[in-house]
Amino acid sequence: MAASSKNSVFFPVRDPDHTWLRKIACINPEADSKDYIMDASSNLQKDELGVTRISTLAASDGILVAGGFDGDYVCKPLDSSPEHPFTSGTITENHDPSTNHTHTFLDRRSGLPQIVFSSNDRFVRTLDATTNTYVHEHYHGTEINCATTSPDTRLRLLVGDCTRPALVEADSGKLITGLGGHNDYGFACDWAPDGIHMATGAQDGVVLVWDARDWRAPLKTLTTEIGGVRTLKFSPAGGGKRVLVMAESADFVHVVDADTFDSKQSFDLFAEIGGISFLPDGSQFFVLGCDEGVGGLMAFERAGYGEMDWRHMDFQPELVDYLDEDEVPNEWVREAEMENDARVKVSWNGRRRRGLGLGELIV
């Protein structure tokens, strides 16, 4: 699943006969409405075939993209109508073609959206979403279950059917180093907006937090309740106090304090978990429960989103550097830099208003 705004949360749905995931629905939690944004099985307006079985989904950087179990993909602009035709293509024709993960990023040279596919054929491929052509294709020697690109787009972290996550150059695929510490296959990873912290999760029930300035040992070791983590998400830049959300394959979602990584809040959901996604402004995250009887889309609003004492003060953003460290929340990006950071979706006035004290408000 993927959320591009508070009005648009995307997830795949099954055919009427409950066999394959072929359609992509967009739910608006604010209006309690649902529309089918794409039928990925066929593209009648362009006389093309789409994906037969959706296995992974992303909605970011202006692109909605889905990868399939059979080595195919579909994508279309996020702001397009349901009737707008999508673009489709082949990722691989290998005998083991499953697309395990996809994510997007903006090219540091052109600023245009790029799509990364991680596949069971042991390749990671980068597709230029504007031209619909592959710009990179790298073989990595093992099935790749998840990948994440660094904020500066120069490096990529990979986890797969081996016990050592790999750090590689994004453009060349060249291995920089392998990371030890896991005892089973990896299924989840993410890179924090500060470019320093990363997290990897494996079937051994362990999440390792890494510091990009020292690869020799993990910065922190986190454990799960009942099983391996299948999704890891750091809160976005400009989204308030930084956290790491960890979703196990079933039942448990953990919200970890990403300042110290010493405390967490756990939610017992009683459902198979199909994915998690933050809103771009960091105010909420969504969890998709996939059980037919008790599943559904769950929204969690961050209680500490506006708990920023310094916002009650009348000063300019550039003066944040002069405050005591305890008075300033640990954001991924310094307040003075947020106005010029395209990843931050809330303006200075918006960030100031969300922290206003309402205790003395008279209605």
Side-chain angles (χ1 to χ4, degrees):
M1 64 158 295
S4 63
S5 74
K6 65 179 181 180
N7 301 316
S8 301
V9 182
F10 302 93
F11 57 94
V13 294
R14 294 189 182 277
D15 289 340
D17 59 1
H18 299 282
T19 52
W20 308 122
L21 296 167
R22 304 188 190 202
K23 294 183 178 181
I24 297 176
C26 177
I27 190 170
N28 182 343
E30 299 292 306
D32 193 23
S33 63
K34 182 176 73 172
D35 293 315
Y36 291 103
I37 195 69
M38 180 164 36
D39 183 348
S41 62
S42 63
N43 200 359
L44 300 180
Q45 295 188 40
K46 296 184 67 175
D47 194 26
E48 294 179 359
L49 293 178
V51 297
T52 53
R53 298 180 293 169
I54 296 173
S55 58
T56 181
L57 182 71
S60 51
D61 298 315
I63 297 293
L64 173 64
V65 56
F69 280 103
D70 299 313
D72 37 23
Y73 72 89
V74 292
C75 63
K76 65 186 298 185
L78 270 174
D79 58 0
S80 61
S81 66
E83 297 77 21
H84 190 283
F86 56 76
T87 299
S88 60
T90 300
I91 301 172
T92 179
E93 296 180 348
N94 186 275
H95 69 280
D96 190 6
S98 177
T99 311
N100 296 325
H101 185 264
T102 185
H103 73 276
T104 69
F105 68 94
L106 296 178
D107 184 79
R108 64 179 180 274
R109 301 178 184 88
S110 67
L112 298 175
Q114 313 286 297
I115 304 171
V116 179
F117 298 108
S118 304
S119 301
N120 247 25
D121 69 350
R122 306 185 176 191
F123 278 87
V124 173
R125 298 172 175 86
T126 303
L127 179 80
D128 187 316
T130 304
T131 62
N132 199 37
T133 58
Y134 288 103
V135 293
H136 298 299
E137 183 176 274
H138 303 137
Y139 180 78
H140 292 289
T142 189
E143 293 81 353
I144 305 300
N145 296 322
C146 187
T148 180
T149 303
S150 64
D152 66 3
T153 74
R154 297 180 183 276
L155 302 177
R156 187 163 293 139
L157 181 63
L158 312 175
V159 296
D161 286 1
C162 65
T163 60
R164 291 177 64 84
L167 181 71
V168 302
E169 294 180 355
D171 291 343
S172 68
K174 179 182 177 181
L175 177 67
I176 297 174
T177 187
L179 306 178
H182 285 295
N183 296 312
D184 209 334
Y185 293 171
F187 283 90
C189 61
D190 198 25
W191 207 307
D194 65 353
I196 296 174
H197 296 88
M198 293 149 296
T200 57
Q203 282 290 92
D204 56 7
V206 168
V207 171
L208 299 179
V209 179
W210 302 89
D211 187 319
R213 298 164 295 189
D214 186 355
W215 301 107
R216 290 173 295 181
L219 178 68
K220 201 74 176 182
T221 300
L222 308 172
T223 57
T224 60
E225 293 291 333
I226 61 173
V229 165
R230 290 304 180 102
T231 310
L232 291 167
K233 293 290 182 182
F234 284 101
S235 55
K241 181 176 175 58
R242 54 191 185 185
V243 297
L244 169 64
V245 179
M246 316 185 319
E248 300 186 31
S249 58
D251 294 346
F252 285 96
V253 173
H254 312 279
V255 182
V256 181
D257 182 341
D259 180 19
T260 63
F261 297 100
D262 286 331
S263 61
K264 67 180 180 181
Q265 182 180 9
S266 298
F267 300 95
D268 188 351
L269 307 177
F270 194 68
E272 299 288 329
I273 297 173
I276 56 176
S277 181
F278 271 98
L279 286 183
D281 67 2
S283 61
Q284 299 180 53
F285 67 88
F286 294 93
V287 178
L288 182 64
C290 294
D291 284 12
E292 187 171 345
V294 297
L297 182 66
M298 292 160 275
F300 293 83
E301 187 171 330
R302 295 186 61 191
Y305 186 58
E307 293 176 4
M308 303 178 182
D309 294 340
W310 61 270
R311 296 193 190 280
H312 300 292
M313 303 172 62
D314 185 16
F315 65 94
Q316 299 299 315
E318 58 268 20
L319 299 182
V320 172
D321 292 341
Y322 296 95
L323 293 176
D324 291 337
E325 185 174 336
D326 291 341
E327 293 178 331
V328 183
N330 269 315
E331 280 269 17
W332 297 113
V333 182
R334 297 179 67 84
E335 183 66 34
E337 301 170 355
M338 286 191 188
E339 286 301 302
N340 297 318
D341 193 321
R343 299 172 300 171
V344 178
K345 304 305 180 184
V346 184
S347 68
W348 159 250
N349 285 330
R351 294 193 301 277
R352 190 163 182 250
R353 284 195 299 268
R354 79 184 183 196
L356 290 176
L358 302 179
E360 299 178 0
L361 181 66
I362 299 176
V363 180

